[in-house]
Amino acid sequence: MFSRTSARCFTQVRSYATKKKLVRHNPDAVELSQAVQILKAFEVGNPSHQIEAHVQCKIEKSTPLIRGSIVLPKNIKQEATILVFATGKKADEARAAGAHFVGGEELIEQVQNGELKFDKCIATPQMFPKVTKIARILGPKGLMPTVKKGTVTDDITNTVTTSKGAFDFKGDKFGVLHTGIGKVNFEEKDIEANLKAILEELKVFGKTNNLKAFIQNVVISSTRGPGIVIAGGSSL
């Protein structure tokens, strides 16, 4: 039997769907807070289901692939496994900061042999020339340290700390970003904060590439719920 809370949630969903005709193919734009409430109502009994955002961005032929990495206000995934190529004092800093694998040339050999699994890779400037030997292994996986990404650095402590909680996102070739922004059991304010943080990062990407009106529209959905267009999504 449904609990009173469950019955009330489904009543809310049914009422909203009837009045607004909320279906995937003809959604009405609603405020972000209301959209989150609706998805939570659809997902009663599924606290671990994911809530996602689908952001349509305006791109041009010369626009690079949309991608970024931020620390979300509310983490939605397990802490990343960090590998650091460093020796001496910098190696000690990496271990103290919580890096999972730390070492010099011996670590390069282990990576070459496929002995280690990790999510992020950092190198000191001193170790970087040696790390280029395994660029063909790290590059295709998006793990090759680079100065541009801030993963070739002497600031090991801060970089490791940030990387452990970093959330990576990437758009497709059509300029659409599909990304998780939370789980059903998250507080509404946390889901909203995560989405807004990602949108802010996208706005920076747009400005950097001289793209006006970069964010076109925002839709949020859940594992079993509908896609809901967010009112004023481009200006959140």
Side-chain angles (χ1 to χ4, degrees), residues 174-194:
F174 303 108
V176 182
L177 173 69
H178 305 280
T179 180
I181 56 174
K183 293 185 177 181
V184 172
N185 60 1
F186 280 19
E187 295 288 333
E188 291 172 23
K189 61 180 179 63
D190 292 326
I191 295 171
E192 293 174 26
N194 280 352

Side-chain angles (χ1 to χ4, degrees), residues 28-99:
D28 291 330
V30 301
E31 296 299 322
L32 175 58
S33 59
Q34 186 180 9
V36 173
Q37 291 173 17
I38 293 166
L39 292 179
K40 279 177 166 287
F42 265 100
E43 295 286 2
V44 169
N46 300 300
S48 63
H49 279 191
Q50 184 166 249
I51 292 180
E52 301 176 341
H54 310 275
V55 186
Q56 176 66 65
C57 299
K58 182 180 180 181
I59 60 173
E60 299 173 356
K61 290 184 178 180
S62 59
T63 304
L65 186 66
I66 298 169
R67 66 194 314 160
S69 180
I70 61 173
V71 176
L72 292 174
K74 173 72 173 180
N75 193 22
I76 63 175
K77 66 176 186 177
Q78 291 185 334
E79 191 176 86
T81 300
I82 310 298
L83 180 148
V84 179
F85 293 108
T87 58
K89 183 180 178 180
K90 293 301 177 183
D92 294 336
E93 289 179 11
R95 295 187 185 96

Side-chain angles (χ1 to χ4, degrees), residues 131-146:
V131 176
T132 57
K133 297 177 183 178
I134 52 174
R136 290 184 178 179
I137 297 173
L138 298 177
K141 299 177 181 179
L143 295 172
M144 185 63 191
T146 67

Side-chain angles (χ1 to χ4, degrees), residues 163-182:
S163 296
K164 286 170 69 177
F167 179 79
D168 298 329
F169 60 86
K170 182 172 67 173
D172 62 24
K173 63 181 181 180
F174 303 108
V176 182
L177 173 69
H178 305 280
T179 180
I181 56 174

